Amino acid sequence: MQPTDISNPQYFHKVVDCQWGCPAHTDVPGYIRLIAQGRYTDAYMLNRQANVFPGILGRVCDRPCEPVCRRARVEKEPVAICRLKRVASDLREDVAALLPKAPRRKNGKRVALIGAGPASLTVANDLLPMGYEVVIYEALAVPGGLMRSNIPSFRLPAEVLDEEIGMIVGMGADLRLGTPVKSMKALLAEGYDAVFVGSGAPKGKNLKLPGRDEAAANIHIGIAWLESVAFGHVERIGERVLIIGVGNTAMDCCRTSLRLGAKNVKVMARKPREFFKASAWELQDAEEETVEIVVNHSPKSFVMEKGRLTGMIFEKMEYEIDARGRITAEKIAGEEFFPCDDVVLAIGQENAFPWVERDLGIEFDKWDVPVVDQVTYQGTRPGVFFGGDSAFGPKNIIWAVEHGHQAAISIHKYCHGEDIARRMPYGMNLATSKMGMHEWSYSNAYDPVERRVMPHVSLKERFKKLNLEVELGFTAEQFTREVERCLNCDIQTVFTAKLCIECDACVDICPTRCLTITTNGPEDELRQRLSAPANNLSQDLYVSTGLPQTGRVMVKDEDLCVHCSLCAERCPTGAWDMQKFTLKVPYAADEAAESVPQTRTGT
Ligand code: SF4
Ligand code: SF4
């Protein structure tokens, strides 16, 4: 194998599995260490750099970081990363003085943002401090987009939304509530320097089955229904409710139904559980609240009696699943009737752009999704950008945030006549964590403690009030234990080949057998003859240059390292060093700083 190029920031970035897995590349170990030191405000602000809504996402993030957490390779459960984010948010002090400020003197560029959801708010967050005038058009009477209208307040309290949205709007955005954009043509005629569409995917999918039209009064489209509940237009539902769909919206619908008076709520799934889209914890929370999940039932028709919906007929499905977990065959094995008073359809969302005229050079594909560049987020008309669910269909809040950051870079470059495709690469900083012979600037002892369990409001209390937050947040005892579960993957093992005397001390002491000194060879073969075979191909091998004495190489399997520092502690020559890695993610302001002409003084 070629020696590994550790000057490429992406190599070390990939070792920080959670940060790599987070679409916005939040510095997870960094903020967890700050919490461990009791520096909650700093933890919040570090978090906010990438993820502009730590309090919101500390409650409702889809958590792509957790399944990839290194801790889950050592034990069953990953670090409760999302919950720790909330700890920083709950315990921080007032951050007003620490937030970015918009300059009094503007830069002369006006940008329109359509929709006040997470994508647009992130664009505003990045552009306002750069002197942009930002106008946000929002159809609803309150900002937040789907975070407000579709996530029930028992999961995400309105005060948390208000506060974090306020931090952005308070920088001076011109937020026009109750102002839907009805014509893109008219908006473009207003002469904005750029337009960003962050209007979400606001149309819930329908289910055209026999009886659908007749039973319409008791069939609700999930996202529209959740919005009606959020704004107090719907206050009750029948006693027996069927939810069709198995995504997170379905989980919000079933739990909301229980709070509106339903006694018997069933989530009906066409496929087995392993094919569900909902996050495991959302399924768990729903089941804890007595929601029954019925698998392998495909909706066939709505049943009416005397002009009223009385139930639904489902086809009972049977599947053949291969060794790789894919469905290879399905058959219908009978029918079953389920009585109900109401049905909520939560089978997906679609973009809806009836307000974008089709003669503006903004192209849509055959599914009516805008054609958007995956890097620049520009549509087919220069100066019109898309992000969040309106760009590529429903994803999640943290993806919308990342789209917002990237679109802000593009908008800045576009407004200044720069090539929007030419973007700054990621950078990095490495600094030793060694303070003395056996001392580290981080807690490196391995703590085998299990993941803490989030305390919840009791089941009895929970349904009394629609907006009673269910999760109580970690107690001090819980989070001080949980932070110790983080393996500090950002403290990297950095190797200097020329210092190694091949004494094998590091190989001997490594508790996970991830180090090997051996002759080099092709990767496939090398992976099999390490101290422990390296079979996780998604994780890289580090291979050094030839060692001074024998020309053999040091190989490290990045899959196994628990960042305990024992190798660096034991090495007599300092060939291994534990170094704190900081990923430098470029934002719009960094791009702007780079394009400022450097003033030269002297000769
Ligand atoms: S830090 Fe060093 S000793 Fe500890 S697991 Fe990683 S390679 Fe092995
Ligand atoms: S302990 Fe240090 S000198 Fe000895 S083999 Fe490991 S890296 Fe090389």
Side-chain angles (χ1 to χ4, degrees):
M1 270 181 85
Q2 288 297 316
T4 304
D5 177 11
I6 58 168
S7 66
N8 178 356
Q10 295 295 40
Y11 180 78
F12 285 135
H13 182 193
K14 202 173 164 199
V15 175
V16 194
D17 307 78
C18 47
Q19 190 174 18
W20 179 261
C22 172
H25 309 307
T26 310
D27 183 353
V28 176
Y31 78 72
I32 291 182
R33 251 192 324 277
L34 288 169
I35 294 171
Q37 295 162 9
R39 294 167 58 190
Y40 311 117
T41 306
D42 292 339
Y44 182 87
M45 292 309 294
L46 177 63
N47 211 314
R48 195 182 179 284
Q49 273 175 22
N51 147 19
V52 299
F53 306 113
I56 294 170
L57 287 163
R59 289 168 166 83
V60 299
C61 190
D62 257 6
R63 309 168 199 176
C65 54
E66 290 194 12
V68 295
C69 170
R70 186 169 294 260
R71 186 82 186 195
R73 281 182 239 154
V74 187
E75 276 157 17
K76 230 173 56 225
E77 297 271 11
V79 173
I81 298 170
C82 181
R83 271 72 194 264
L84 291 175
K85 202 190 303 293
R86 176 174 167 180
V87 168
S89 167
D90 287 355
L91 299 183
R92 69 179 162 84
E93 288 163 4
D94 183 9
V95 295
L98 304 172
L99 293 173
K101 304 273 177 303
R104 203 165 284 166
R105 219 173 114 202
K106 303 298 171 201
N107 69 358
K109 306 288 180 191
R110 283 179 81 230
V111 178
L113 313 182
I114 304 174
S120 291
L121 289 167
T122 306
V123 176
N125 177 76
D126 289 6
L127 294 185
L128 284 165
M130 299 170 70
Y132 282 83
E133 278 183 64
V134 170
V135 181
I136 310 178
Y137 293 90
E138 170 55 53
L140 298 175
V142 275
L146 293 186
M147 301 192 292
R148 175 90 62 176
S149 60
N150 271 205
I151 300 182
S153 48
F154 58 84
R155 289 212 292 128
L156 178 56
E159 312 82 71
V160 179
L161 272 167
D162 290 343
E163 191 174 23
E164 289 191 330
I165 293 171
M167 289 181 196
I168 296 169
V169 175
M171 283 186 233
D174 177 356
L175 174 62
R176 301 187 186 171
L177 297 172
T179 313
V181 173
K182 294 195 175 128
S183 159
M184 180 65 114
K185 190 177 267 173
L187 184 81
L188 291 171
E190 290 189 32
Y192 286 104
D193 292 288
V195 172
F196 176 78
V197 182
S199 52
K203 205 172 120 207
K205 284 190 186 157
N206 203 349
L207 192 58
K208 294 258 183 236
L209 291 177
R212 168 71 181 87
D213 294 337
E214 295 80 347
N218 294 92
I219 300 173
H220 317 283
I221 303 278
I223 60 163
W225 181 75
L226 286 171
E227 183 178 314
S228 301
V229 175
F231 296 123
H233 306 314
V234 167
E235 291 175 337
R236 63 181 63 90
I237 197 161
E239 287 207 348
R240 298 165 306 173
V241 179
L242 296 180
I243 313 287
I244 314 292
V246 285
N248 288 340
T249 303
M251 297 306 120
D252 285 336
C253 289
C254 64
R255 296 177 70 192
T256 300
S257 300
L258 287 170
R259 284 157 177 80
L260 297 187
K263 298 278 179 284
N264 183 321
V265 181
K266 289 185 171 62
V267 169
M268 307 299 297
R270 190 172 187 278
K271 291 185 184 166
R273 195 162 174 132
E274 60 267 33
F275 295 92
F276 288 11
K277 284 201 187 126
S279 317
W281 54 88
E282 302 220 11
L283 284 163
Q284 234 173 38
D285 288 347
E287 286 184 310
E288 185 187 310
E289 294 183 357
T290 71
V291 170
E292 188 188 341
I293 295 176
V294 182
V295 298
N296 299 349
H297 281 70
S298 176
K300 188 177 178 209
S301 61
F302 296 95
V303 179
M304 303 281 293
E305 261 174 46
K306 295 186 191 140
R308 213 187 142 72
L309 177 75
T310 53
M312 279 187 77
I313 294 175
F314 291 82
E315 287 172 337
K316 291 203 259 182
M317 306 298 295
E318 280 179 6
Y319 297 98
E320 275 171 40
I321 297 175
D322 69 11
R324 290 169 65 187
R326 292 172 309 189
I327 292 176
T328 51
E330 62 177 54
K331 72 168 197 228
I332 298 164
E335 284 184 3
E336 195 173 350
F337 173 77
F338 284 81
C340 68
D341 303 308
D342 284 275
V343 172
V344 183
L345 303 176
I347 49 175
Q349 286 158 240
E350 294 170 320
N351 304 49
F353 294 100
W355 50 277
V356 179
E357 293 82 353
R358 301 302 148 121
D359 60 349
L360 301 174
I362 301 172
E363 284 172 31
F364 292 83
D365 66 14
K366 59 179 175 184
W367 296 283
D368 219 23
V369 173
V371 177
V372 177
D373 185 279
Q374 304 245 3
V375 174
T376 64
Y377 294 85
Q378 186 170 244
T380 49
R381 180 183 167 122
V384 177
F385 300 85
F386 292 79
D389 290 355
S390 57
F392 306 114
K395 278 196 166 171
N396 56 40
I397 302 173
I398 192 64
W399 266 116
V401 168
E402 175 59 8
H403 291 178
H405 285 312
Q406 295 306 322
I409 292 175
S410 301
I411 291 170
H412 170 73
K413 286 178 165 282
Y414 178 80
C415 287
H416 290 82
E418 294 172 23
D419 177 0
I420 61 170
R422 216 190 121 250
R423 303 168 90 90
M424 278 173 83
Y426 284 16
M428 69 170 168
N429 188 41
L430 287 166
T432 185
S433 300
K434 208 166 193 168
M435 296 163 76
M437 185 93 101
H438 304 293
E439 253 189 294
W440 302 97
S441 62
Y442 69 109
S443 155
N444 62 331
Y446 179 79
D447 188 337
V449 66
E450 282 180 8
R451 180 177 164 119
R452 307 286 90 185
V453 177
M454 172 62 71
H456 283 170
V457 170
S458 75
L459 268 185
K460 229 170 108 200
E461 292 301 309
R462 210 177 288 185
F463 305 118
K464 288 188 181 158
K465 247 172 69 195
L466 181 62
N467 59 1
L468 185 70
E469 189 173 14
V470 171
E471 295 190 348
L472 292 167
F474 276 151
T475 63
E477 184 279 331
Q478 284 184 308
F479 75 75
T480 40
R481 298 289 280 160
E482 190 65 30
V483 288
E484 286 300 313
R485 300 185 69 237
C486 175
L487 294 173
N488 298 291
C489 300
D490 62 333
I491 311 283
Q492 308 275 353
T493 44
V494 178
F495 182 70
T496 309
K498 66 175 190 288
L499 295 179
C500 179
I501 53 171
E502 302 179 46
C503 65
D504 270 354
C506 59
V507 178
D508 293 342
I509 201 157
C510 176
T512 65
R513 301 172 68 209
C514 64
L515 303 178
T516 311
I517 297 179
T518 183
T519 47
N520 205 342
E523 179 167 352
D524 294 355
E525 182 257 342
L526 193 56
R527 279 182 173 270
Q528 293 312 311
R529 62 178 161 86
L530 300 180
S531 305
N535 291 326
N536 183 353
L537 301 182
S538 67
Q539 296 286 321
D540 290 338
L541 291 185
Y542 163 77
V543 178
S544 74
T545 50
L547 299 176
Q549 297 195 65
T550 63
R552 294 182 301 166
V553 286
M554 173 72 77
V555 185
K556 179 180 175 229
D557 178 4
E558 294 289 11
D559 190 35
L560 300 176
C561 179
V562 288
H563 299 254
C564 66
S565 337
L566 289 176
C567 51
E569 212 165 276
R570 178 59 73 91
C571 176
T573 68
W576 282 114
D577 189 22
M578 303 302 290
Q579 298 191 3
K580 159 89 180 89
F581 161 81
T582 308
L583 181 71
K584 295 195 176 279
V585 181
Y587 296 107
D590 301 304
E591 296 272 1
E594 203 201 26
S595 58
V596 171
Q598 297 297 310
T599 314
R600 287 186 61 185
T601 51
T603 52

